[in-house]
């Protein structure tokens, strides 16, 4: 089995090499780099994170590995969400231990994103509360938009194809307008769909 990466290697790659500007930009080259360098670690995630999540930096690396990397490695594929439950469990434990507050923004957001990525309204409300208290600003705006999407649809329309779900007419309108990007830009308003 290929050698897994260390928490330091994961954090250095994501925080320094990729950096904030690259976290939310779609890049086939970056996605491939993550697959090449971190797929073996992701495949061993359940074992690795048990060893790592006892420190703030280890918890951060665990969250990047289980919540961020799959979204790059497996775009348009159900495996993008395969470790979401694990990521939420890590985030719960890390927040309970106060690890999130020992990591400076913008990296702190990775402790809260597993809740924002959930299709459960309680998780969504928690994401909004966490961002409102500890990272207000643009991150809070995105958390509110994710929560409002779940409140309206009960799921994210932009996941339907990857998960083999049949979209509703309103979900089709979202996707035809440009998906999440249309909601962020204001091209489409959730209030118009309800």
């Amino acid at each position: 089995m290929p050698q897994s990466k260390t928490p330091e290697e994961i954090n250095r790659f994501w925080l320094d090499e990729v950096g904030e500007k690259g976290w939310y930009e779609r890049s086939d080259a970056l996605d491939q780099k993550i697959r090449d360098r971190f797929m073996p670690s992701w495949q061993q995630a359940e074992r690795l994170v048990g060893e790592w999540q006892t420190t703030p930096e280890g918890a951060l690396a665990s969250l990047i590995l289980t919540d961020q990397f799959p979204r790059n490695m497996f775009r348009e594929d159900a495996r993008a969400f395969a470790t979401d439950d694990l990521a939420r469990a890590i985030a719960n434990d890390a927040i309970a231990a106060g690890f999130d507050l020992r990591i400076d923004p913008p990296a702190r957001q990775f402790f809260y994103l597993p809740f924002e990525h959930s299709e459960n309204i309680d998780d969504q409300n928690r994401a909004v509360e966490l961002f409102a208290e500890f990272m207000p600003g643009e991150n809070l705006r995105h958390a509110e938009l994710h929560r409002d999407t779940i409140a309206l649809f009960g799921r994210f329309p932009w996941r339907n194809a990857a998960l083999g779900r049949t979209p509703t007419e309103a979900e089709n309108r979202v996707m035809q307008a440009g998906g999440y990007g249309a909601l962020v830009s204001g091209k489409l308003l959730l209030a118009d769909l309800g």
Side-chain angles (χ1 to χ4, degrees):
M1 180 172 288
Q3 182 71 25
S4 61
K5 301 295 184 183
T6 67
E8 294 77 18
E9 288 172 307
I10 288 171
N11 290 342
R12 190 177 323 112
F13 170 79
W14 192 243
L15 302 178
D16 300 331
E17 189 175 324
V18 175
E20 189 174 7
K21 186 176 182 327
W23 292 341
Y24 302 108
E25 288 184 6
R26 185 175 184 137
S27 164
D28 293 339
L30 175 60
D31 293 352
Q32 187 60 52
K33 186 182 286 189
I34 293 171
R35 280 190 292 275
D36 292 345
R37 289 171 66 174
F38 300 103
M39 180 78 80
S41 297
W42 181 80
Q43 291 169 331
Q44 300 172 59
E46 201 156 336
R47 177 183 65 79
L48 293 173
V49 300
E51 301 168 10
W52 294 354
Q53 59 182 336
T54 58
T55 67
E57 294 76 16
L60 176 61
S62 298
L63 291 165
I64 293 167
L65 179 66
T66 58
D67 189 60
Q68 296 302 301
F69 284 175
R71 285 167 165 73
N72 289 82
M73 292 190 296
F74 307 117
R75 289 188 194 274
E76 316 306 326
D77 184 309
R79 290 176 295 173
F81 321 111
T83 51
D84 281 8
D85 290 344
L86 179 56
R88 273 192 308 281
I90 295 164
N92 271 317
D93 291 346
I95 292 166
F99 289 168
D100 56 319
L101 301 180
R102 292 174 54 191
I103 299 292
D104 291 331
R108 182 180 295 160
Q109 69 187 288
F110 299 114
F111 289 86
Y112 309 147
L113 285 174
F115 304 107
E116 185 177 314
H117 290 153
S118 173
E119 290 188 322
N120 175 290
I121 193 65
D122 293 332
D123 291 334
Q124 289 295 323
N125 287 329
R126 185 165 188 208
V128 169
E129 290 167 7
L130 288 164
F131 278 116
E133 185 168 356
F134 302 115
M135 281 192 75
E138 189 65 16
N139 292 97
L140 176 59
R141 179 176 166 261
H142 286 282
E144 290 169 339
L145 193 51
H146 279 77
R147 180 204 53 205
D148 295 347
T149 300
I150 293 300
L152 180 60
F153 296 113
R155 61 191 189 177
F156 294 121
W158 41 90
R159 289 189 189 172
N160 287 343
L163 295 174
R165 303 188 298 210
T166 303
T168 65
E169 184 178 323
E171 289 173 334
N172 274 331
R173 285 181 57 202
V174 170
M175 297 312 294
Q176 288 165 357
Y180 183 66
L183 298 175
V184 170
S185 70
K187 177 180 176 184
L188 185 67
L189 301 177
L190 287 171
D192 297 336
L193 298 167

